[in-house]
Structure formats: structure tokens, C-alpha cells
Amino acid sequence: MLEAHNLEFSYTKPVLKGVSFSVAQGELFALLGPNGSGKSTLIKIIVGILRATRGNVSIDGRDLASIARRDLAKLVGYVAQESTMRFPLTAMELVLQGRFAQGRLIGFESSRDISEAEWAMRLTETLEYAARPVTELSGGERQRVMLARALAVRPKLLVLDEPVANLDIAHQVKMLELIKRLSVEEGIAAVVVTHELNLAAEFASKVLLLRNGEVIECGTPGDVLTEQALRNVFETDLLVDNSPVSGAPRVTLIARRSSGEDAKRF
Amino acid sequence: MAWSKSRQSCIRNDDQQVKAETNMAVAKLKNRIGMAGRLTTQRLAYSLGVLFVLLIIVGILSIATGSEHVGFSTVVRVIAAKIAGRVADVSQEHSLIISDIRLPRVLMAIVVGAALAVAGSAYQALLRNPLADPGILGISSGAALGAITATIFAEAVPISRPVAAFAGAVLTIAVVYALGQGRRGSGTERLILAGVITNASLSSIVIFLVTSASGARQRNVLSWLIGDLSGESRLLAPVALFVIVGIGAVYIYARSLNLMMIGEEEALALGVETRRVKVAVYLAASLLTGAAVAVSGAIGFVGLIIPHSVRLVGGSDNRLVIPASALVGGAFLMLADTIARTVVAPRELNIGVITSLVGAPVFVYLLRRTN
């Protein structure tokens, strides 16, 4: 479904240095790595916001560079890290924006557009506040509305930049359950950038560890999320065992206490 | 203490009560005028129809009002006769006042008001900031500088003023945009700040040029600068053409602007040709600002308050906001001009004074709310 081959990208310094990976249909693919490792740059190349300096990406067997902007927009649903909400568009209006590439430049949404938007809002459980202005929604509700907008595209590939960053733990789990379900039931390939190692271990079918623009490891969570690999990539002390519930890798942080004084205070 | 505390919570409840009641009232109003729910062709046509009728009524009212009061029906008869190409059976004097003095002025107010309001809504969508306005961003000052330069160096060529004003507006938005560009894209606060700074420096150049001018000319230019619809009726036709082209160009991208209001990169990913939209809409909005400033000076705040009021009632969809702002902006400026003409009669107030008196508090209110 998605294939990246030897991607390189640089602003002034090189950000990506020969990144290759592939994501199959129905897979939930997690991109992990420390801040500044090039995760966001990588997904911006995939959705066509940035252009790779070298290497190529293909989606659905077609070279990204040869796909017209509108056609690419019909294939890929993208949710950015944060969106500014300063204008009180209603949730429904926002979700309908996902239908832009299917419609004309001028004119209004068709009944098909509306039914697709309603489908997306039903899935994300946002239909009940379809008429509410997005400026009045909570962080979690807003995040789900943004996901609904990406789903209204009816994408084959879903790309999410830190979809759970601003959510509480219950919403985090719900969000990833939904993405997982979408990838399995709708056959969507989902690429998710996240800092939540445990959630990635629990939900992703494949994970990729990125450090300084280089792929360190790529494979199933069980194979990749090892103590050694994670210590190496994140340069911090941690412990990996298995979740007593699912058996997936479980990451525990080891906090460093500088002295006994500190320990006493806590 | 306990008493004051309970009083405090009472006050807060009152506030909430008032807020809830206002929300209810707005919702009711929206239902009544058919502005609730998603925008469709029917709703758009209905809303614009209502606003158009409002524009006509305000227009007739403005023409009827003035130092010499003319009856409502007389106004209608003279205009109807003019459209049909006949001479109305009213007194020569009234006919003259209506068709030669007040009608051109009212039409000019509509054109300028529409231009400024649409320019405002365009800048707001592009910059993702409801506080953007041609005046606040310094674009009006740039246009004014262009227009004054043209007045000094090419006064004989009548069209030189709007063209130079347009050039000034385009150059200014380019400078403001470049200044507002941070290392990581353009923060909108940074951009507003860049606009304020640009505005200040351009204004000082304008003032320098004005003070170097002599006598009567200085007074004329100064009066035009504050905002004045009294002169320049010979420019009505070309400026109206500029404004129609500008509004049309912005409207083509109304749907694209809806997406860009949320985020440029996401709009790109959803299929919007963001670069093309930006260039076209910035140029069109500068054309509108230039045209308005060339004939009426820097009338402030219209671009801020009109799109905001439209959004408050009709929602944020630019397919409605842009044309509705044009109509409401026209009606608002006619009303403001009528007040400017009559409130200290026989003298005239500059229309810019009226719009700023209304606009400044609205700006403060918006600023506090968007925090």
C-alpha cells in the first residue's frame, strides 16, 4: 500500500538519511523516535506537503511524484498534530472539508458527501455534536472531529501525527482502538506517529524506530521494542517486560534520583 | 466574607444566565432568518436576498436623508424613472439632489464598504486570524501612500490613483508577510505585529508627505486620509469594476479558504492548491483595498466588524461570509456616511471617524474573546 524507498530530506542539515519501509493494507504502523528524529518530516513527505530530496514514495503502486494533488488527496487522510480553531465552523462543516477533493472548486456538497461525512462522524462518535462550533469542543472531541474529517476522504491510507498527544488515558485507548478497527475492518493502512510506547506496543502491527533520520529497527512490536533498542534510541534508562494482559512489550521508565534527599522529599 | 462570596457566585450565575439567554436569542434569530444549519444553495440565496433588500432599504433611506429632506416615495420615483430612462414628475431640485449628488455618493459607499468588508474577510481567512483587517495590517496605509504619491506625481491621470493604491497595497502585504515569517512558518500574532509596525512607519511617511504639501491641497489630502466619501464620484465606474473583479476572485476560492482557515498544510493534504489560492486572494484583497482607499481614504475597521457580525449570525462558511460581507459592508458604510453627513450639519464629519468610533470597541471585544 505504502512504500518508501531510500528517502532523504534536508532543510539545512539532513533530517532523513535514507529511510525505507513499507506498510501493507490493514496494517497499523507506528512511527516511534525521540523529538527531532524526523518523524513529522517523514509523514509530511508521505502526504505530499514536503518533497523528498532523494528517494521515492509509492502509494497503491503509484509513484507519489506522479499523482496530482487532488488525486493524492482522495487517497490519503491526514490529521496534523495541532490545528488552530479560531473560526466557529460547526463540526459537520469541518468534517465536510474532507470532501473537498471530490467536489468542485465552487459549489456545495452533494448528498453523497453528506452521507460520507455522517458515516465518518458515526464511526468517531461525533455525530451528536455535528451542529456545534468546533471552537467550543473539548480537546478529545476536537481530535475525533479532525479524525472524522480525514475519514470523510474515504482514504486508503491514513496518516496521523500524534493523534493521542492531548488526550487523557481513556481517550487515548479509545482513539487507538478506533484506528485499529478502521485498519482491520476497512482495510485502511494507518501510519501513526506517537510518543506513547506502550500504546504502540499494544495496538501497532508494526513499529519503526527512528533516530536522527535513520531507521534503527523495523518490525513487529515484540521484535523491535526491546530494552536495548529503546535505551539506544531514546538514550534513557528503561525496563521492558511483557504486559500481563496481552503479552505485548511493556515499557517502564526508570527515574533517576540524584540523592537520598530527593527520595525522602517524595 | 461569606456574604460577598455568595454574592460573587450569584454574579457569576447572572452572567451565565445572560450568556445562555443571548445564545438562545441568537439561535432563534438564526432560525427565523433561515441561517441555521449547513449552508446550501437555497440558504445562501435566501440569506443574500434578505441582505440585498436590506441594502436597498438603507440606500433609499440614505438618499432621503440630508440637509434637504426628500420623501421616500420621491426617491423611489426618481430612481425608477432613471432606470427606465424617463424624467420623473418631481421638482427639478429634488431630481438633481437625488440623481446627481446623493445617488453617486450612496453608490460609492456601497462599493467602498463592500470592498473593505470582503478584503477583511479574505485576510482573516488567509491569516487564520479573525482580527486581521486591511487597516490593522497596514495595507490601507500602503495603499494611501501609493495614492498620495500618484496625486503628487501624476495628478492629471485620473486612473493613476487607484492603480498606485493597488501597487502600494500589494507591496505592503508582501513586506508584512515577509516580516511576519518566523523560522517555523508564520505565526499569526507575529504577522499582526508586523502589520502594526509597518502601519506605523508608512503612516509617518504619509504624514510627512501631507505636511510638505501646501495650503488647500493639504487640507483636502488630510480629509481624504481620515476617510471621506464626498469627492471622486468620477472614479465610481472604474472603481466599481475593480471591486467586482476583486470580490469575484476572492469568491472563487471561498471553499478553499474554508479549509485554509483551519491549517495550510492540512488544506494542502486535502487537495487545495494553497500557493495559488494565497497569491490570488492576496492580490484580489489588495486590489479591493487599493480601490477603496483610492477613492475614500483609509476608512478603518469595516473589514473587521462586518465579517465578524456576519459570522456571528450566519456561521463561518466563506461561501456565505464573503458575499454577505459585501452586502452588509455596503449597507453599513451608507449608514455611517449618512450619519457623518447629518450629525453636525451643516458641516460634515469624516466617515472614518464614525467607523473608528464603532470599530475600536469591537476590536477590543474581539481581542479579549479570542484570547
Side-chain angles (χ1 to χ4, degrees):
Chain A
M1 180 64 229
L2 168 70
E3 243 164 285
H5 183 68
N6 229 354
L7 285 181
E8 287 182 25
F9 184 85
S10 36
Y11 290 105
T12 45
K13 277 188 288 181
V15 180
L16 297 176
K17 306 162 189 165
V19 173
S20 302
F21 62 91
S22 68
V23 183
Q25 220 178 354
E27 233 172 20
L28 203 172
F29 190 91
L31 278 176
L32 306 174
N35 295 328
S37 57
K39 303 184 299 290
S40 286
T41 307
L42 183 55
I43 62 168
K44 280 181 186 174
I45 290 172
I46 297 170
V47 300
I49 293 169
L50 296 173
R51 193 174 295 224
T53 332
R54 203 165 293 159
N56 61 290
V57 178
S58 70
I59 294 173
D60 215 10
R62 292 162 72 194
D63 186 14
L64 188 70
S66 72
I67 307 176
R69 167 76 50 210
R70 259 172 180 262
D71 295 333
L72 182 64
K74 290 178 201 169
L75 279 174
V76 184
Y78 169 60
V79 179
Q81 219 171 89
E82 251 180 294
S83 303
T84 40
M85 300 280 178
R86 285 187 149 163
F87 296 93
L89 286 164
T90 64
M92 180 53 121
E93 285 173 330
L94 194 81
V95 174
L96 278 169
Q97 293 188 350
R99 305 299 297 169
F100 179 82
Q102 266 88 353
R104 279 166 301 161
L105 189 64
I106 322 170
F108 291 90
E109 289 81 3
S110 65
S111 53
R112 163 119 197 264
D113 291 334
I114 290 159
S115 64
E116 297 287 22
E118 282 172 350
W119 168 81
M121 295 184 86
R122 215 168 291 125
L123 271 181
T124 51
E125 294 171 29
T126 51
L127 197 56
E128 57 191 290
Y129 32 83
R132 268 171 59 192
V134 285
T135 40
E136 288 172 15
L137 298 181
S138 74
E141 293 167 338
R142 202 181 283 183
Q143 197 74 8
R144 294 213 303 282
V145 171
M146 294 310 280
L147 177 63
R149 181 172 83 157
L151 289 175
V153 170
R154 280 295 188 148
K156 293 189 166 176
L157 173 67
L158 192 59
V159 180
L160 309 163
D161 198 350
E162 298 197 23
V164 295
N166 299 312
L167 305 182
D168 63 55
I169 193 157
H171 279 105
Q172 286 187 336
V173 172
K174 264 187 119 172
M175 186 69 150
L176 279 164
E177 273 171 355
L178 173 62
I179 296 165
K180 182 80 185 174
R181 210 177 84 212
L182 285 167
S183 66
V184 174
E185 285 174 14
E186 307 285 329
I188 295 172
V191 176
V192 177
V193 169
T194 184
H195 285 297
E196 299 293 333
L197 298 174
N198 284 319
L199 287 172
E202 200 67 46
F203 289 100
S205 36
K206 262 198 205 165
V207 297
L208 183 149
L209 277 181
L210 201 66
R211 191 188 63 182
N212 290 331
E214 282 173 298
V215 178
I216 304 297
E217 296 273 359
C218 185
T220 61
D223 291 341
V224 171
L225 300 177
T226 60
E227 221 166 85
Q228 198 201 346
L230 290 176
R231 281 186 187 194
N232 175 18
V233 168
F234 289 99
E235 292 172 356
T236 185
D237 230 4
L238 40 77
L239 187 127
V240 178
D241 58 359
N242 292 316
S243 154
V245 180
S246 66
R250 179 175 67 175
V251 182
T252 307
L253 296 171
I254 301 173
R256 221 172 300 167
R257 294 270 151 77
S258 55
S259 70
E261 267 315 293
D262 274 23
K264 237 181 267 165
R265 219 188 303 158
F266 289 110
Chain B
M1 278 318 274
W3 178 80
S4 80
K5 217 175 204 172
S6 72
R7 201 175 116 99
Q8 281 249 312
S9 66
C10 258
I11 291 170
R12 209 169 299 133
N13 282 339
D14 276 358
D15 264 7
Q16 278 164 355
Q17 181 81 22
V18 168
K19 208 175 167 193
E21 273 168 13
T22 323
N23 284 345
M24 282 261 284
V26 170
K28 259 189 198 158
L29 178 70
K30 280 181 183 177
N31 273 325
R32 188 159 311 149
I33 57 176
M35 277 186 158
R38 197 174 51 82
L39 189 65
T40 58
T41 319
Q42 291 86 337
R43 211 192 103 193
L44 180 71
Y46 182 76
S47 306
L48 295 184
V50 169
L51 292 175
F52 186 74
V53 172
L54 181 84
L55 183 81
I56 299 293
I57 293 171
V58 174
I60 295 171
L61 209 79
S62 301
I63 295 175
T65 318
S67 52
E68 172 73 31
H69 185 78
V70 186
F72 227 77
S73 63
T74 317
V75 176
V76 176
R77 261 186 293 162
V78 171
I79 292 174
K82 203 174 156 82
I83 291 169
R86 291 183 288 107
V87 180
D89 54 345
V90 297
S91 74
Q92 184 81 39
E93 193 197 349
H94 279 180
S95 177
L96 199 75
I97 290 177
I98 292 168
S99 61
D100 285 12
I101 300 171
R102 291 194 193 156
L103 184 63
R105 179 147 177 176
V106 155
L107 289 176
M108 190 63 100
I110 294 176
V111 168
V112 169
L116 290 173
V118 172
S121 60
Y123 289 127
Q124 283 153 23
L126 278 179
L127 301 173
R128 290 187 291 287
N129 194 327
L131 295 178
D133 163 90
I136 292 159
L137 288 170
I139 301 163
S140 294
S141 295
L145 184 56
I148 289 180
T149 315
T151 314
I152 294 172
F153 294 107
E155 202 176 2
V157 193
I159 198 79
S160 70
R161 227 205 234 182
V163 171
F166 169 57
V170 171
L171 281 177
T172 312
I173 189 67
V175 169
V176 171
Y177 195 80
L179 284 177
Q181 206 79 24
R183 264 180 305 156
R184 287 185 148 258
S186 59
T188 51
E189 280 74 20
R190 209 185 146 100
L191 210 95
I192 298 269
L193 207 59
V196 170
I197 293 162
T198 312
N199 194 12
S201 41
L202 287 175
S203 298
S204 57
I205 302 175
V206 167
I207 297 294
F208 173 75
L209 287 178
V210 173
T211 36
S212 330
S214 58
R217 196 173 180 190
Q218 187 182 59
R219 233 189 27 237
N220 279 341
V221 175
L222 203 62
S223 168
W224 163 81
L225 205 59
I226 305 169
D228 181 10
L229 280 168
S230 59
E232 302 301 343
S233 64
R234 76 207 152 102
L235 280 174
L236 180 61
V239 163
L241 188 70
F242 273 31
V243 171
I244 289 166
V245 169
I247 294 176
V250 176
Y251 192 69
I252 289 172
Y253 293 110
R255 201 173 169 203
S256 310
L257 287 173
N258 282 346
L259 276 77
M260 290 178 72
M261 284 195 318
I262 304 296
E264 220 174 293
E265 289 186 340
E266 294 152 278
L268 192 68
L270 284 169
V272 179
E273 300 282 355
T274 50
R275 190 181 293 257
R276 188 197 301 161
V277 175
K278 263 189 347 194
V279 170
V281 176
Y282 271 130
L283 281 178
S286 306
L287 182 69
L288 291 170
T289 309
V293 169
V295 288
S296 65
I299 298 175
F301 292 105
V302 178
L304 185 82
I305 41 181
I306 301 305
H308 176 71
S309 336
V310 170
R311 268 189 228 109
L312 205 64
V313 182
S316 296
D317 194 326
N318 281 304
R319 288 170 292 192
L320 172 73
V321 172
I322 289 163
S325 293
L327 295 171
V328 178
F332 170 75
L333 212 61
M334 270 194 292
L335 215 58
D337 188 49
T338 308
I339 295 169
R341 280 192 286 126
T342 50
V343 76
V344 287
R347 291 180 55 216
E348 268 192 24
L349 213 57
N350 285 87
I351 186 171
V353 175
I354 307 282
T355 60
S356 297
L357 276 177
V358 180
V362 176
F363 180 78
V364 173
Y365 164 75
L366 276 180
L367 192 68
R368 292 185 64 116
R369 238 186 50 148
T370 50
N371 261 337

